[in-house]
Amino acid sequence: MTVSVATWNVNGIKARIDNLLTWLEESKPDIACLQEIKSVDENFPKARIEDLGYNVVTHGQKGFNGVAILSLLPIDEATPRLPGDDGDEQARFLEAVVSVEGGALRVCCLYLPNGNPVDSDKFPYKLSWMERLEAFARDRLALEEPLILAGDYNVIPMPEDARHPDEWVGDALYRPESRGAFRRLANLGMTDALRASSDADGLYTFWDYQAGAWQKNNGIRIDHLMLSPQAADRLSGVTIEKHVRGWEKPSDHVPVRIELT
DNA sequence: ATGGTGGCTTGGCCA
């Protein structure tokens, strides 16, 4: 059987609910990981999404951040928070185990810290968060299960992942420390789904609202699905749903969707 | 060009 899994930074669920419902009806991903819901759990429009057949789990906070996982398949477990720092109050991580035909699929929805400005405490927070993510991945990879780490990584992995890489030099999304941490995650044995399935050069997932970035295709690729070997072996397709950026009241990110067969 | 745009909130932070 085929399982489809998508990730989308919606930039505010309240502002994006109509676009989200339109997209769900059109794309019908089995599992969708959402970031930047910017909502507490109680205000998340759960019922309208459940009406489309989805099970919904959220890990929200007031005003900022917040992640959610939607699944047409049963969610057996859902666990918020990235291990490694009990004092971290930011809602950026949600792990779920979903029942699929023939077993279980572990899906983690992550919203990695932006890290700018780099001379503030936000940059070391980003790097320590990435160290925690690497430790978490190492631990989960030992299970030798199909595993997907999907989300907004706020990392431009390579120059080919930006229309104008020179404009990003010095930015936390492109700093060598950030790219190195992303590479260490890959080097544990995780596959960047888009890189694996196609020539990713010139394919972007984010276009800033400012300065006509969308109209000029001045984009970057920062939304990624990283796959364990057991998931990567089943990868049969990847799609960047770019047309969603052209809708009314768009998010600045678009959905990225994979198929496992 | 120290701006630009948008979301969540009511003064200002975050991206």
Side-chain angles (χ1 to χ4, degrees):
Chain A
M1 78 173 265
T2 295
V3 180
S4 53
V5 182
T7 180
W8 188 17
N9 180 322
V10 295
N11 189 23
I13 191 62
K14 191 190 297 181
R16 216 67 60 215
I17 182 62
D18 290 340
N19 280 7
L20 174 67
L21 295 172
T22 300
W23 171 69
L24 288 173
E25 292 194 281
E26 169 190 290
S27 182
K28 295 183 169 60
D30 292 307
I31 301 167
C33 297
L34 308 181
Q35 301 87 38
E36 280 206 271
I37 62 174
K38 297 185 177 179
S39 165
V40 293
D41 296 333
E42 307 83 76
N43 293 343
F44 191 83
K46 207 174 169 187
R48 297 186 64 183
I49 296 166
E50 287 172 338
D51 285 346
L52 298 180
Y54 284 92
N55 300 294
V56 177
V57 289
T58 61
H59 176 45
Q61 77 178 81
K62 184 177 178 176
F64 307 108
N65 307 322
V67 289
I69 297 177
L70 322 179
S71 176
L72 293 173
L73 301 161
I75 299 172
D76 297 330
E77 303 172 29
T79 311
R81 298 178 153 277
L82 179 64
D85 181 1
D86 291 340
D88 184 359
E89 296 297 327
Q90 299 192 30
R92 297 179 173 276
F93 191 87
L94 181 58
E95 174 181 20
V97 179
V98 175
S99 285
V100 299
E101 198 175 298
L105 174 63
R106 192 176 296 269
V107 178
C108 299
C109 177
L110 64 97
Y111 176 47
L112 210 146
N114 176 294
N116 284 304
V118 293
D119 59 357
S120 72
D121 55 4
K122 293 180 181 178
F123 191 52
Y125 173 64
K126 174 179 195 153
L127 297 179
S128 69
W129 206 94
M130 294 188 82
E131 282 182 25
R132 289 162 58 196
L133 182 63
E134 183 186 344
F136 174 86
R138 185 180 288 109
D139 181 76
R140 290 295 184 265
L141 282 166
L143 300 174
E144 301 188 348
E145 294 173 346
L147 163 71
I148 303 174
L149 304 184
D152 176 0
Y153 280 71
N154 269 314
V155 175
I156 303 166
M158 307 212 289
E160 293 77 8
D161 297 312
R163 177 71 183 272
H164 296 300
D166 52 302
E167 293 177 0
W168 293 93
V169 172
D171 191 284
L173 278 62
Y174 194 59
R175 279 279 294 250
E177 298 93 328
S178 310
R179 295 171 58 195
F182 184 85
R183 207 156 47 242
R184 281 195 292 280
L185 180 68
N187 289 344
L188 293 176
M190 300 214 72
T191 297
D192 177 341
L194 197 84
R195 270 282 160 223
S197 73
S198 64
D199 178 4
D201 294 1
L203 299 181
Y204 311 126
T205 65
F206 168 92
W207 296 260
D208 202 287
Y209 289 122
Q210 304 178 63
W214 168 243
Q215 289 75 12
K216 293 187 280 192
N217 193 29
N218 182 11
I220 52 177
R221 190 173 72 92
I222 57 175
D223 299 274
H224 309 298
L225 294 109
M226 301 297 286
L227 313 181
S228 72
Q230 294 76 18
D233 285 348
R234 296 171 54 188
L235 180 65
S236 60
V238 185
T239 310
I240 298 176
E241 300 189 297
K242 187 176 177 179
H243 66 289
V244 173
R245 186 64 176 78
W247 289 353
E248 287 294 310
K249 262 178 80 74
S251 169
D252 40 6
H253 297 249
V254 297
V256 185
R257 177 195 160 109
I258 67 169
E259 316 279 338
L260 303 182
T261 306

